[in-house]
């Protein structure tokens, strides 16, 4: 497995829709496992393919409740049901370092997706898991969490992020890495 480089904003990739995976094969399994390894390395709970310059509809999630790994790898995920009840919670992203925003999302969802064996799965999720799934699905559909807030607040946060990046340049993995 390999650690992939996180793409940082601003980058046009965050407005691009990822392509559906036509068939889950060894290449897709390797990409998904590399994404999972990258997510763990970065200490995140989710990763959308666009965040690591992968053009496919793949998301990986693991809330690691009680420090126990329980990963979800979702290929071509589609929301098939949403609750009307909305919850607001703070969201952040590896690709947008140093900032966060309060975002309203449905409290419960039902999603269908392909697993690594190319089998269709259905998952009902609520609370934090539902939020993370929707957050990561946004990425593969050309949307970011900041698109759910006002333009004024978004612009303010993006300026704050630029200042953060100037003061804390992100690490790009390369030949001199020790990992």
């Amino acid at each position: 497995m390999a650690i992939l480089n996180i793409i940082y904003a601003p980058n046009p990739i965050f407005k691009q829709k990822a392509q559906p995976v036509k068939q889950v094969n060894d290449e897709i399994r390797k990409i998904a496992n590399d994404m999972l390894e990258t997510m763990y390395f970065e200490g995140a709970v989710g990763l959308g393919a666009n965040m690591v310059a992968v053009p496919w509809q793949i998301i990986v999630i693991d809330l690691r409740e009680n420090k126990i790994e329980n990963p979800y790898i979702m290929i071509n995920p589609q929301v098939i049901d949403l609750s009307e009840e909305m919850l607001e919670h703070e969201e952040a992203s590896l690709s947008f370092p140093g900032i966060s925003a309060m975002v309203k999302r449905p409290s419960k969802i039902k999603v269908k997706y392909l697993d690594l064996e190319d089998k269709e799965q259905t998952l009902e999720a609520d609370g934090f898991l539902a939020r993370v799934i929707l957050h990561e699905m946004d990425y593969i559909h050309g949307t970011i969490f900041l698109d759910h807030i006002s333009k004024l607040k978004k612009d303010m946060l993006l300026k704050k992020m630029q200042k953060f990046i100037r003061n804390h340049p992100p690490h790009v993995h390369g030949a001199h890495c020790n990992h």
Side-chain angles (χ1 to χ4, degrees):
M1 287 199 245
I3 304 294
L4 305 171
N5 283 318
I6 300 294
I7 303 299
Y8 295 97
N11 190 301
I13 199 165
F14 298 121
K15 292 296 178 195
Q16 296 172 7
K17 291 187 178 191
Q19 298 300 308
V21 172
K22 290 185 173 42
Q23 181 183 8
V24 179
N25 55 28
D26 287 342
E27 176 190 10
I28 296 298
R29 282 189 276 279
K30 180 180 180 343
I31 290 168
N33 283 312
D34 288 349
M35 286 175 60
L36 199 60
E37 187 73 15
T38 302
M39 180 193 73
Y40 288 138
F41 178 80
E42 296 289 348
V45 295
L47 200 63
N50 296 38
M51 297 172 68
V52 288
V54 170
W56 308 110
Q57 290 184 14
I58 304 169
I59 65 171
V60 297
I61 295 165
D62 192 342
L63 304 185
R64 291 185 297 284
E65 296 178 276
N66 301 318
K67 298 182 182 179
I68 298 169
E69 290 183 1
N70 183 26
Y72 293 96
I73 296 175
M74 299 181 176
I75 299 164
N76 300 338
Q78 294 178 319
V79 174
I80 55 177
D81 196 21
L82 299 166
S83 69
E84 289 186 26
E85 179 188 6
M86 303 288 278
L87 294 176
E88 188 173 44
H89 196 275
E90 190 171 24
E91 294 187 18
S93 172
L94 293 173
S95 292
F96 293 80
I99 62 172
S100 62
M102 296 298 286
V103 176
K104 280 187 181 181
R105 294 195 187 267
S107 64
K108 296 178 184 177
I109 64 169
K110 188 174 187 179
V111 62
K112 73 175 183 177
Y113 61 95
L114 296 175
D115 65 16
L116 289 181
E117 303 307 314
D118 206 24
K119 303 273 191 272
E120 188 172 293
Q121 302 290 331
T122 303
L123 176 70
E124 291 185 33
D126 62 4
F128 189 55
L129 179 58
R131 175 172 298 282
V132 174
I133 291 169
L134 292 171
H135 178 102
E136 303 311 334
M137 283 182 67
D138 275 357
Y139 275 108
I140 63 173
H141 292 110
T143 303
I144 59 172
F145 73 106
L146 296 175
D147 291 337
H148 296 278
I149 62 174
S150 73
K151 180 175 178 359
L152 180 67
K153 182 145 179 130
K154 178 180 178 179
D155 291 345
M156 181 188 74
L157 286 171
L158 289 173
K159 284 180 187 170
K160 181 180 176 184
M161 182 195 73
Q162 291 299 330
K163 182 178 179 182
F164 181 87
I165 289 173
R166 277 193 306 277
N167 294 328
H168 307 91
H171 174 73
V172 177
H173 304 291
H176 302 291
C177 287
N178 294 329
H179 44 81

